[in-house]
Amino acid sequence: MDLKILAIHGSPRTIRSTTRKLAGFVLDGAAEAGAETEMIDLADYHIIPCTACDACSLNGICVNNDDVPSLLVRIQEADGIILGSPVYIDNISGQMKVFFDRLADAIHYQVLAGKFGCSVSTTYESGGDDVVAYLNHVLNYLGVVSVGGISVATAGKPETVDAMEASARELGEKLGEAVKNGFPDPVQEALLADNRSYFRVIVAENRDFRPEEYERWVRMGWIE
Ligand SMILES: Cc1cc2nc3c(=O)[nH]c(=O)nc-3n(C[C@H](O)[C@H](O)[C@H](O)COP(=O)(O)O)c2cc1C
């Protein structure tokens, strides 16, 4: 089977980023599992912050003309998604958050459901595990089952991530295997089902504006 794994990282340091390097090791592991891999440096793209105008809820199209729609197409074409962010003030980077806010419609309609993912983060010292947990939470919001995550505290020594190369590659292989053979996880599956019952109300309310989405939800068995 064709297998495509995409990493998206939110460090403004792009190719100098430690988080990018860690995500790259995960991609290397996925490549060993037979995947075609791709890295997206979010900071290289034009991403306008959400203004909560709500226009996307009418037709799925943002009023802003920027790179988010083409990024979303690339994400939809992938089978596996790796999210990566440095820790900024014990949270994800602003670049990553601005991007996530633009995915609200993709979350409501669960357009990425059925995919698998994982998350990585680097930090000087604090917040790494919390950021990985949050990134995995966002994957779940998107309808994506996470196979795990890795955070590395570097204490300012970027080479610290090299010591995590084997674990990161293992995570990538696990992600590739999940795409190929599934990854049964009753806890996440129950969480995803809960999310869908919440978003079902929005999909039903907007049925007249988004009939093709409504029909997809019926076909998926998410609306009776
Ligand atoms: C704006 C900013 C905020 C940061 N906040 C924290 C923090 O709260 N805790 C911490 O331990 N490190 C913090 N750091 C350090 C970064 O998390 C760390 O250097 C990370 O590895 C950078 O990853 P990158 O090379 O992928 O950008 C911060 C760095 C910046 C620039």
Side-chain angles (χ1 to χ4, degrees):
M1 86 184 266
D2 283 347
L3 175 61
K4 193 167 172 191
I5 308 266
L6 178 72
I8 306 165
H9 84 92
S11 170
R13 300 178 69 234
T14 61
I15 58 167
R16 293 178 303 123
S17 157
T18 316
T19 311
R20 184 189 206 273
K21 191 174 190 188
L22 184 60
F25 291 148
V26 182
L27 282 182
D28 292 343
E32 266 162 40
E36 178 193 332
T37 63
E38 189 184 358
M39 175 79 79
I40 289 179
D41 299 287
L42 274 187
D44 284 343
Y45 294 89
H46 181 44
I47 301 176
I48 298 170
C50 176
T51 54
C53 71
D54 223 14
C56 66
S57 69
L58 291 179
N59 57 10
I61 299 169
C62 182
V63 294
N64 292 307
N65 182 15
D66 64 7
D67 291 328
V68 174
S70 64
L71 286 171
L72 192 54
V73 168
R74 284 160 72 187
I75 298 169
Q76 281 180 285
E77 286 169 356
D79 306 292
I81 305 158
I82 300 158
L83 295 180
S85 176
V87 171
Y88 278 7
I89 322 297
D90 286 343
N91 213 309
I92 58 172
S93 68
Q95 285 80 359
M96 201 77 193
K97 185 62 167 66
V98 166
F99 178 63
F100 284 164
D101 290 349
R102 290 288 304 282
L103 299 181
D105 192 71
I107 288 172
H108 290 159
Y109 287 89
Q110 295 283 283
V111 299
L112 302 180
K115 299 186 191 297
F116 295 90
C118 65
S119 301
V120 297
S121 176
T122 71
T123 176
Y124 186 95
E125 181 179 303
S126 65
D129 288 347
D130 289 342
V131 161
V132 164
Y134 178 70
L135 294 172
N136 279 333
H137 172 71
V138 172
L139 285 172
N140 285 168
Y141 249 162
L142 286 160
V144 175
V145 170
S146 171
V147 301
I150 293 180
S151 77
V152 180
T154 66
K157 297 187 191 77
E159 62 275 15
T160 316
V161 292
D162 295 338
M164 294 303 284
E165 177 171 356
S167 312
R169 278 174 173 265
E170 227 170 82
L171 183 63
E173 279 178 51
K174 192 175 173 186
L175 178 57
E177 290 306 321
V179 172
K180 284 193 266 189
N181 303 316
F183 185 78
D185 184 329
V187 173
Q188 286 191 74
E189 280 153 22
L191 188 74
L192 266 48
D194 270 359
N195 288 344
R196 284 195 301 271
S197 57
Y198 181 75
F199 299 133
R200 181 181 300 142
V201 178
I202 296 172
V203 176
E205 264 175 13
N206 292 350
R207 180 180 183 173
D208 293 344
F209 307 108
R210 311 280 292 272
E212 58 311 313
E213 286 297 340
Y214 183 88
E215 291 308 324
R216 187 174 65 85
W217 273 60
V218 171
R219 277 199 309 279
M220 296 298 288
W222 298 339
I223 288 182
E224 279 151 29

